[in-house]
Amino acid sequence: MVASIGLPKETKDGERRVALDPSAVKSAVRAGYDVLVQATAGVGAGFSDSDYEAVGAKVVPGAAEVWAADLVVKVKEPQPVEWGYFREGLKLFAYLHLAAEPELATALATKGVEAYAFETLEERGGLPLLAPMSEVAGRTAAIVGAHYLAMGSGVLLGGSAGVEPARVVVIGLGVAGTMAARGARGMDAEVTGIDIDLHRLYEAHQQGTVTATLASSEHAIGEAVAGADLVIGAALVTGARAPRLVLREHVTNMRPGSVIVDLAIDQGGCVETARPTSHSNPVYEELGVIHYCVTNVPGQYPRTASRALSAAVAPKLIELARDPGSSKLAGSLNVAGGKIVHPVVAEALQR
Ligand SMILES: NC(=O)c1ccc[n+]([C@@H]2O[C@H](COP(=O)([O-])OP(=O)(O)OC[C@H]3O[C@@H](n4cnc5c(N)ncnc54)[C@H](O)[C@@H]3O)[C@@H](O)[C@H]2O)c1
């Protein structure tokens, strides 16, 4: 039975989000739970300790006290410094991305943690706890892509009179890809959207989110990427390792100083040359192409992102505390009884 909920301060590099804002904490307190908030957990997102105290939370100085709660809710997957807090029977609710984090999966399973992932919770065919952050990450991808083009090839997304606009290729037109395409279109770039789901292509085409669409295939991606100034990777198969769609040979054909933003890096990346980067060190160059592969992109807009995440998470958190077997949490349970229990995640990890 869950009596207490813990809200730790995030530990991942550059991560300023917090999983619950004061209004979400108020809902949990009203629902009858003791909420323990680690001091300064919300400061990066503009929420002070006294904001949390005012809604009935107990603010505690250290991470250990928060992790001692029955149910811990946080934004990013626990970092190695936090694994020492894992224990039998602890319930954890967070982004886990276990297909790309085999060591974390092992640590959770061997310590007997019951781990529920935001990103695999399914409702009405969508991913309601991933969508708000994909929206933020997608919008951000267009901004950082434009920014690094200035440092690389020097191409401006919108071009100029007599000069063609930049060519942007977005792979995966789901929530993140659609917002990235809208951002790039908003800056007047030419945007090609690629997906395996023809209905998504049809919708993007009809709505003018993109200037062209392509059905996903190795050949189509190779050709589109070769002519692109900016490639944004946002393909996802829920729970699985990201499909590897942009191959090294495709990157070789890009013009020097072009940019790749691989949002799917949190699931292992959909670009062969992508490897995880951090907010402190967000880019590297490979094959003459600038790669931006930050695994927690929304962390740089902590106020907007925390409020959006918190609004989506709060009702599910209360449901989890009340009834972990509820159908409203479908797909979220990843680790239980010492095993990886989500079939797609288990397959990705070959467990
Ligand atoms: N790096 C970050 O900080 C960050 C933040 C938020 C989301 N993300 C990631 O962005 C990715 C996209 O998330 P989303 O919420 O938009 O997912 P989504 O499910 O809404 O969309 C994924 C899209 O990928 C398409 N797709 C699947 N296989 C494909 C293939 N072979 N070729 C082309 N398209 C294919 C799907 O049809 C779908 O339209 C995920 O990996 C997610 O974890 C990363």
Side-chain angles (χ1 to χ4, degrees):
M1 209 190 82
V2 170
S4 56
I5 295 172
L7 180 65
K9 185 175 172 69
E10 293 298 316
T11 54
K12 190 160 181 156
D13 179 85
E15 185 53 75
R16 294 187 289 147
R17 283 174 290 178
V18 64
L20 302 178
D21 66 9
S23 91
V25 167
K26 189 174 182 177
S27 311
V29 170
R30 277 211 179 138
Y33 299 101
D34 292 332
V35 182
L36 302 164
V37 177
Q38 188 179 347
T40 72
V43 162
F47 306 116
S48 67
D49 291 347
S50 51
D51 291 337
Y52 286 104
E53 279 167 340
V55 294
K58 185 173 174 208
V59 174
V60 294
E65 292 149 285
V66 167
W67 279 92
D70 302 322
L71 165 58
V72 167
V73 61
K74 68 190 302 300
V75 182
K76 287 308 285 182
E77 69 279 356
Q79 303 299 294
V81 292
E82 298 170 311
W83 296 2
Y85 300 123
F86 293 171
R87 62 176 198 277
E88 181 93 34
L90 168 69
K91 288 187 172 54
L92 173 66
F93 196 29
Y95 289 114
L96 297 175
H97 300 291
L98 295 182
E101 297 280 348
E103 287 171 13
L104 171 61
T106 302
L108 289 167
T110 52
K111 293 284 187 70
V113 177
E114 207 172 289
Y116 297 78
F118 291 166
E119 73 277 7
T120 55
L121 192 153
E122 295 185 56
E123 194 171 65
R124 292 191 288 270
L127 303 168
L129 301 192
L130 181 61
M133 294 306 94
S134 292
E135 202 180 333
V136 174
R139 286 189 194 276
T140 308
I143 298 169
V144 295
H147 172 74
Y148 284 108
L149 274 175
M151 299 189 173
S153 63
V155 171
L156 177 65
L157 282 194
S160 182
V163 182
E164 63 190 1
R167 277 173 288 185
V168 177
V169 171
V170 179
I171 304 172
L173 278 180
V175 178
T178 300
M179 296 318 291
R182 281 181 58 161
R185 278 298 298 131
M187 290 186 263
D188 289 334
E190 255 182 46
V191 181
T192 300
I194 303 180
D195 206 294
I196 37 164
D197 182 339
L198 293 184
H199 184 68
R200 297 229 156 146
L201 295 182
Y202 174 78
E203 279 182 340
H205 181 73
Q206 290 294 315
Q207 290 162 6
T209 317
V210 293
T211 40
T213 56
L214 285 173
S216 182
S217 71
E218 188 181 323
H219 181 79
I221 289 172
E223 279 199 347
V225 166
D229 296 292
L230 168 62
V231 173
I232 297 174
L236 172 72
V237 178
T238 306
R241 199 211 167 281
R244 198 152 267 169
L245 301 171
V246 178
L247 306 179
R248 174 171 281 274
E249 67 192 78
H250 301 155
V251 180
T252 311
N253 292 333
M254 291 178 77
R255 221 154 47 90
S258 303
V259 175
I260 292 176
V261 176
D262 193 355
L263 292 178
I265 194 68
D266 55 357
Q267 289 288 135
C270 62
V271 177
E272 192 174 1
T273 48
R275 53 176 192 271
T277 61
S278 63
H279 286 295
S280 317
N281 216 351
V283 291
Y284 61 90
E285 199 178 303
E286 188 160 343
L287 302 170
V289 174
I290 298 172
H291 290 62
Y292 174 99
C293 308
V294 172
T295 51
N296 55 333
V297 172
Q300 65 191 295
Y301 293 103
R303 180 79 179 178
T304 300
S306 299
R307 292 177 68 197
L309 179 63
S310 181
V313 164
K316 300 297 184 189
L317 174 74
I318 293 169
E319 192 67 16
L320 174 54
R322 202 184 56 79
D323 174 15
S326 164
S327 61
K328 293 180 182 160
L329 302 168
S332 63
L333 185 59
N334 276 216
V335 185
K339 293 201 181 76
I340 312 297
V341 295
H342 189 292
V344 182
V345 177
E347 195 189 329
L349 291 168
Q350 295 173 350
R351 306 272 168 101

